[in-house]
Amino acid sequence: MTISLLIAGGGTGGHLYPGIAVARELLRRMPDAKVTFVGTAAGIESRVIPREGFTLDTIRSAGLKGKSLASLARGVALLPSSALDAWRVISRRRPSIVIGVGGYSSGPVVLLAAMRGIPTLLMEQNAMPGATNRLLGRFVKAAAVTYEDSSRFFAGRAFVAGNPVRPEFLGGRHDEHGSARDSGERATRVLVFGGSQGAHAINMAMVEAAPRLATAGTGLALTHQTGERDLEMVRDGYTRAGLEARVEPFLYAMDREMKDADLVVCRAGATTLAELAASGRPSILIPLPTATDDHQRKNADALVTHGAARMIDQRTLTGELLASEILALAQKDGERAAMSAAARRMARPDAARVIVDRVIELAR
């Protein structure tokens, strides 16, 4: 049997990369399988999917929730076009199963596939499922969730699989303190990032924190991904404070950067947290307060509850507070080791395999 898999959705790397991990696992086990992605021409998928070596079919689609009136009107106006495009893609590709990975472009594809009797599966990475997946939950055959609490949204169709991550994040060099430091190196490696575009609030807080970090007397080796917009502002802020740091607009080898860090300061997107768990990194999480349904806070709560992370509410975020948290953990190897161990216990390195098992079962 040759499986034809259609993976629909995108909009963020957090939606896309788990889908890519599942696609790779399916092709590893069934090299003759056919995999196609469906998304929008404007989404991140238009850049990522071709680079990963997969085919991308595009549909016209736009989000409906959390938008301005003008954007909402545009999204509603596009619904007929979205349905028509999705119907054509399904008719052309004739998939044996369709996976929705989240994001508004997955909605019409998964719904129409279900209506046509094609097996469908959702992947939900967040503790609070997104609006599209909540709406689709009653129509699909199965839903792969990361957190047990998410199961209640899928009417008995959910199974806990974890969030698939790229294999580069699994394993790696670690010492007894959950660190990747070379023997004799005393500086604590701190990695700061806010997603591929950076996070302005985190960037500003780090600049405010820089004078205290520079004079604390604790050795820090700081790497900061800022995004393009704040690059020079952050570099100048660190220079004025006398804080040595490697500041880049984008870090391409995030798996290596994360595994080499002793402490990570970042947002709380679902894929980022899965990568932290897979690489066993202790973290200070600053959830994006405008995330839909406050799902980043709920994601972060899961790590904090298990002792794998600390969390700072962006509404109370200051440079002084962030510096205090960084320095407190930099000086406590034992606490970082405990956080690292807790993060690893939350990892699901078999997530892609578990999901592909269900994919094959449904396709047959």
Side-chain angles (χ1 to χ4, degrees), residues 16-36:
L16 274 184
Y17 288 118
I20 292 170
V22 167
R24 287 177 174 171
E25 174 65 12
L26 176 63
L27 290 171
R28 185 188 69 80
R29 291 164 59 173
M30 304 182 72
D32 61 342
K34 299 176 182 178
V35 179
T36 305

Side-chain angles (χ1 to χ4, degrees), residues 186-188 212-221 243 326-331:
R186 299 186 63 84
T188 300
R212 183 174 173 193
L213 295 177
T215 59
T218 300
L220 297 177
L243 179 65
I326 291 172
L327 293 173
L329 287 173
Q331 296 164 2

Side-chain angles (χ1 to χ4, degrees), residues 44-329:
I44 190 177
E45 58 267 26
S46 65
R47 301 187 301 276
V48 171
I49 295 304
R51 190 180 68 211
E52 294 289 337
F54 294 103
T55 298
L56 175 70
D57 289 336
T58 59
I59 65 173
R60 291 165 288 181
S61 185
L64 301 177
K65 186 171 183 179
K67 304 291 182 180
S68 66
L69 287 177
S71 297
L72 178 62
R74 178 175 178 271
V76 171
L78 278 176
L79 286 176
S81 299
S82 297
L84 179 61
D85 291 348
W87 186 273
R88 288 173 172 169
V89 168
I90 293 170
S91 298
R92 183 171 69 254
R93 297 298 178 183
R94 301 179 64 84
S96 44
I97 183 167
V98 173
I99 294 179
V101 296
Y104 51 81
S105 60
S106 70
V109 180
V110 174
L111 181 59
L112 286 173
M115 292 174 62
R116 291 175 63 162
I118 299 168
T120 49
L121 180 148
L122 295 177
M123 290 173 56
E124 180 51 65
Q125 302 87 22
N126 292 299
M128 169 57 75
T132 300
N133 277 358
R134 293 203 304 272
L135 290 171
L136 294 172
R138 70 192 71 178
F139 301 104
V140 299
K141 294 290 186 181
V145 300
T146 299
Y147 303 100
E148 181 67 45
D149 286 349
S150 305
S151 299
R152 59 193 172 92
F153 294 95
F154 299 105
R157 300 178 179 91
F159 62 100
V160 179
N163 190 6
V165 299
R166 288 167 283 176
E168 294 87 351
F169 285 91
L170 301 171
R173 298 176 294 123
H174 305 291
D175 66 14
E176 68 273 17
H177 295 307
S179 160
R181 287 179 290 175
D182 297 329
S183 178
E185 183 183 337
R186 299 186 63 84
T188 300
R189 295 182 180 179
V190 180
L191 171 64
V192 182
F193 67 97
S196 59
Q197 302 300 315
H200 183 67
I202 295 176
N203 293 342
M204 291 296 296
M206 284 300 300
V207 170
E208 293 174 9
R212 183 174 173 193
L213 295 177
T215 59
T218 300
L220 297 177
L222 182 64
T223 297
H224 188 159
Q225 175 181 292
T226 62
E228 293 286 355
R229 182 180 63 174
D230 290 343
L231 177 65
E232 293 306 322
M233 181 270 291
V234 173
R235 281 181 173 168
D236 290 346
Y238 287 166
T239 298
R240 289 195 304 271
L243 179 65
E244 292 188 9
R246 174 182 163 222
V247 183
E248 303 288 349
F250 187 78
L251 298 170
Y252 288 93
M254 185 56 77
D255 57 306
R256 186 184 67 229
E257 302 289 350
M258 191 174 287
K259 288 193 292 186
D260 279 352
D262 299 303
L263 177 65
V264 180
V265 179
C266 60
R267 290 298 197 191
T271 294
T272 294
L273 300 194
E275 291 166 352
L276 287 170
S279 54
R281 296 300 87 195
S283 57
I284 298 171
L285 303 175
I286 306 170
L288 176 67
T290 57
T292 305
D293 298 317
D294 204 21
H295 69 260
Q296 285 208 7
R297 176 186 297 279
K298 296 178 176 69
N299 293 345
D301 279 338
L303 267 70
V304 173
T305 298
H306 285 81
R310 294 186 180 184
M311 178 168 55
I312 299 176
D313 188 326
Q314 183 171 305
R315 287 165 291 196
T316 63
L317 177 65
T318 64
E320 180 65 24
L321 176 58
L322 184 54
S324 295
E325 292 286 345
I326 291 172
L327 293 173
L329 287 173

